Amino acid sequence: MIFEQVPVGTFQNFSYIIGDETSKRAALVDPAWEVDKLLQMCKEMGLTVSYVINTHSHHDHVGGNLQVTRRTGAKVVAHVSSPVHKDIPVKDRDTIKVGNISVEVIHTPGHCPDHICLLFGGKLLTGDTLFVGECGRTDLAGGDSSKMYDSLNRLLELDDNIEVYPGHDYGSKKSSTIGYERQNNYTLKKRTREQFIQFMKEP
Ligand SMILES: [Fe+2]
């Protein structure tokens, strides 16, 4: 599998390239910035961009969708509830096939109602649900701390060795693991739902 974490834009965003070495098909995840750079990287690796996958509909994750689809013919994949133009609406536990790579969708509302995480090949793309050492904010439109509580607990059901790749470079390192986050992320400390909701209200 070809996998690239690409720092882009001015909000410390990460885009991701998921490529299948055999079919040379690829998905671009959250290509909101520096589309030229992302497409050039794909070209140099001999990859055809078949899909754009959005973790959620915030502008800093979807801003390049149109440019990518116009230039590559890629189909946009997003959660069924996402307001963005999408060709392939997905829901929890759906699978997207990128060549031979199966990408599993985990619906994780809380930061945004249409948020999805992507699980494939021992890697988890967490978008703005989980960062290294932090979780996503829930005070924007559509945010919901109670739903975030369930979403984070769902991610914590995954094995410790699953690698975590967030949607922003906000942490002490650019990626981690579920085990590392379980141990070190203060937002994931054991709390009741009520405690978590209160915790998210604190500055
Ligand atoms: Fe966001």
Side-chain angles (χ1 to χ4, degrees):
M1 179 173 65
I2 295 163
F3 179 72
E4 296 284 341
Q5 180 188 54
V6 190
V8 291
T10 50
F11 293 110
Q12 297 165 278
N13 281 86
F14 285 130
S15 290
Y16 292 92
I17 301 169
I18 306 168
D20 173 36
E21 280 168 308
T22 309
S23 65
K24 297 290 183 186
R25 293 196 172 276
L28 273 182
V29 179
D30 292 350
W33 314 87
E34 301 186 58
V35 167
D36 286 343
K37 177 167 93 176
L38 292 167
L39 294 184
Q40 183 62 28
M41 287 178 72
C42 290
K43 191 176 166 189
E44 283 169 10
M45 292 186 282
L47 296 171
T48 302
V49 182
S50 302
Y51 300 112
V52 165
I53 309 177
N54 294 138
T55 59
H56 63 298
S57 56
H58 287 162
H59 72 93
D60 58 322
H61 296 261
V62 305
N65 280 15
L66 199 58
Q67 215 189 124
V68 174
T69 56
R70 278 194 184 144
R71 288 168 61 176
T72 65
K75 304 289 183 201
V76 175
V77 181
H79 189 255
V80 63
S81 69
S82 169
V84 301
H85 169 80
K86 53 197 174 296
D87 303 293
I88 305 173
V90 292
K91 55 188 191 318
D92 191 45
R93 297 183 195 277
D94 279 356
T95 297
I96 306 147
K97 291 285 272 184
V98 182
N100 287 320
I101 304 165
S102 290
V103 179
E104 188 187 336
V105 171
I106 305 175
H107 183 215
T108 55
H111 172 70
C112 189
D114 58 44
H115 200 294
I116 57 174
C117 292
L118 303 169
L119 181 64
F120 54 95
K123 299 180 194 310
L124 180 72
L125 302 194
T126 53
D128 287 7
T129 296
L130 180 65
F131 303 119
V132 175
E134 259 293 354
C135 73
R137 55 195 291 187
T138 56
D139 58 340
L140 302 172
D144 186 319
S145 294
S146 182
K147 286 182 176 157
M148 181 63 106
Y149 181 76
D150 292 328
S151 293
L152 292 172
N153 280 326
R154 176 109 182 261
L155 297 185
L156 288 177
E157 289 170 11
L158 296 170
D159 289 344
D160 277 351
N161 60 359
I162 297 288
E163 296 165 15
V164 170
Y165 291 91
H168 289 269
D169 187 7
Y170 288 161
S172 56
K173 48 186 181 173
K174 295 180 189 310
S175 66
S176 69
T177 62
I178 290 291
Y180 179 90
E181 295 308 315
R182 201 189 306 281
Q183 292 292 325
N184 298 291
N185 189 324
Y186 77 115
T187 72
L188 302 179
K189 283 199 179 123
K190 282 219 184 315
R191 293 179 179 89
T192 64
R193 181 181 303 276
E194 289 65 34
Q195 284 169 337
F196 182 78
I197 291 168
Q198 191 54 42
F199 164 73
M200 290 303 282
K201 285 181 187 161
E202 292 160 11

